[in-house]
Amino acid sequence: MDMVWEQTLETTSALQNKKMRTTEEKLELITVDNRLLPQQTALLDQWVKHMKSYKEGQPILDYTYTIREFGLFLKKPFDQATPEDIQNYLEHKRKSAESITGGRLIDVKEGSVKGYHYRLKAFYRWVLKHTGLKISP
């Protein structure tokens, strides 16, 4: 009986230590991802701050995941991306059996790929409107 009680206490303690991250904590982890280039990190952080001024929660997180993943795929500053880079990223999402971020891998449907494309378009519209950066047409 004592052994069962000890196991219960260990399980309870482990569950208490395993903390679920809030959306804010997840955003913080994404924007300090050291795999991103410094320019990418700075621009992503600036974009997140802008988005927080009028949105909250999961939508910002979804956009941020996509932009970070594209940055890792791109391996160069966001303002040096070409339309071909975006198409190559979307094609990678359709066909690859590898995760870019090292996270879990899921079967990506065409509707999801359209969502990734939409998020990147929105990000680049923001870049053009709110930064001095010039990007490829």
Side-chain angles (χ1 to χ4, degrees), residues 30-86:
I30 294 169
T31 58
V32 297
D33 189 330
N34 63 6
R35 297 172 297 172
L36 291 170
L37 300 173
Q39 183 273 359
Q40 290 175 324
T41 300
L43 194 59
L44 185 58
D45 187 53
Q46 187 180 354
W47 180 84
V48 167
K49 287 176 183 168
H50 170 79
M51 290 295 288
K52 286 180 181 178
S53 69
Y54 68 95
K55 282 190 183 230
E56 58 184 59
Q58 192 64 40
I60 298 173
L61 190 59
D62 291 342
Y63 276 80
T64 307
Y65 278 136
T66 299
I67 296 163
R68 179 208 35 191
E69 185 177 62
F70 178 64
L72 294 173
F73 177 85
L74 187 62
K75 297 179 183 157
K76 59 185 176 183
F78 287 120
D79 61 321
Q80 294 178 15
T82 65
E84 292 80 24
D85 290 326
I86 293 172

Side-chain angles (χ1 to χ4, degrees), residues 19-29 61 65:
K19 178 180 156 190
M20 295 299 290
R21 291 190 176 108
T22 65
T23 299
E24 191 61 37
E25 291 168 330
K26 290 176 185 177
L27 282 170
E28 175 66 25
L29 288 173
L61 190 59
Y65 278 136

